């Protein structure tokens, strides 16, 4: 990972255009090729970014100090450096991935055993289906035979939708699996996460932990 702190301006040209005026910012260049620009007041979310696969070219000569990042769709992120305050690279190695808490791990196990919870005719391909960036919680097929990737969280937030989006991008490159659609499953899903999932064509599924365990709740029923 390369960390650059610089006073810079940023221009994005693609489906729309966007401009970030000159200011001190943190630029992350990751081993997967992604580039993201961060401010100090926006928590984890970048101001702008380019997801892999993409290429980074650092200008020379008259273009020295201009970074151009281009993705496979031809969209460009142009970073104009005015002053570099810090520039360092670090080898982080292969990350072991997030270790799920007991509830998430158990939800995955229960849903795999009761895959028909997602819909009639669903069949399990496997749990923990490995990709180049980590394992998909559940890979299955729906009643029409289409591949479905399921990401499971206890609490569904935006970062979980982003994670599933990255998995889907990789899985859809495999001709034996494509087309692959996604389902974001959780005990509760935040409204912002639901909106983002809908925008990306990802379905949402609320998981009832007790129902998956076969425990009836103690609420009064009419019938």
């Amino acid at each position: 990972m390369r960390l650059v702190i610089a006073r810079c301006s940023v221009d994005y040209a693609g489906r729309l255009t966007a401009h970030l005026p000159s200011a001190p910012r943190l630029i992350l260049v990751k081993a997967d090729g992604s580039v993201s620009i961060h401010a100090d007041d926006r928590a984890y979310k970048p101001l702008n970014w380019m997801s892999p696969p993409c290429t980074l070219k650092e200008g020379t000569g008259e273009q020295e100090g201009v970074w151009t990042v281009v993705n496979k769709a031809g969209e460009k992120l142009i970073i104009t450096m005015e002053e570099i305050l810090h520039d360092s690279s670090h080898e982080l190695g292969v990350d072991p991935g997030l270790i799920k808490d007991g509830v998430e791990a158990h939800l995955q196990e229960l849903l795999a055993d009761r895959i028909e919870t997602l819909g009639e005719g669903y069949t399990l391909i496997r749990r923990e289906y490995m990709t180049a960036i980590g394992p998909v919680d559940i890979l299955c097929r729906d009643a029409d035979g289409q591949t479905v990737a399921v990401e499971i969280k206890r609490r569904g937030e935006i970062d979980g939708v982003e994670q599933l989006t990255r998995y889907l991008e990789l899985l859809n490159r495999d001709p034996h699996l494509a087309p692959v659609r996604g389902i974001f499953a959780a005990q509760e899903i935040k409204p912002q996460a639901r909106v983002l999932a809908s925008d990306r064509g990802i379905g949402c599924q609320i998981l009832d932990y007790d129902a998956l365990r076969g425990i009836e709740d103690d609420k009064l029923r009419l019938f």
Side-chain angles (χ1 to χ4, degrees), residues 155-158 161 184 188-199 204 206:
R155 181 180 294 109
E157 300 186 12
I158 285 177
V161 179
F184 189 50
E188 62 171 306
I189 298 176
K190 298 294 185 180
Q192 300 93 328
R194 191 178 290 275
V195 170
L196 181 60
S198 176
D199 182 67
C204 290
I206 296 295

Side-chain angles (χ1 to χ4, degrees), residues 143-165:
D144 297 322
Q146 183 178 0
T147 310
V148 181
V150 185
E151 179 63 26
I152 299 170
K153 300 293 184 186
R154 184 170 60 86
R155 181 180 294 109
E157 300 186 12
I158 285 177
D159 57 349
V161 179
E162 295 283 9
Q163 182 181 359
L164 179 54
T165 299

Side-chain angles (χ1 to χ4, degrees), residues 18-88:
H19 174 71
L20 294 172
S22 176
R25 297 187 175 94
L26 168 65
I27 303 165
L28 298 182
V29 183
K30 294 187 178 181
D32 64 2
S34 64
V35 178
S36 57
I37 297 99
H38 298 259
D40 203 18
D41 62 347
R42 303 297 175 91
Y44 64 89
K45 188 174 182 180
L47 296 167
N48 215 326
W49 67 94
M50 194 70 81
S51 300
C54 58
T55 57
L56 167 62
K57 181 179 179 181
E58 298 184 40
T60 58
E62 293 183 358
Q63 292 296 309
E64 185 175 2
V66 178
W67 290 13
T68 303
V69 187
V70 184
N71 67 11
K72 63 180 181 180
E75 298 168 320
K76 293 183 180 180
L77 195 64
I78 301 170
I79 307 169
T80 303
M81 306 288 188
E82 298 172 14
E83 180 185 9
I84 294 179
L85 306 173
H86 175 85
D87 189 347
S88 64

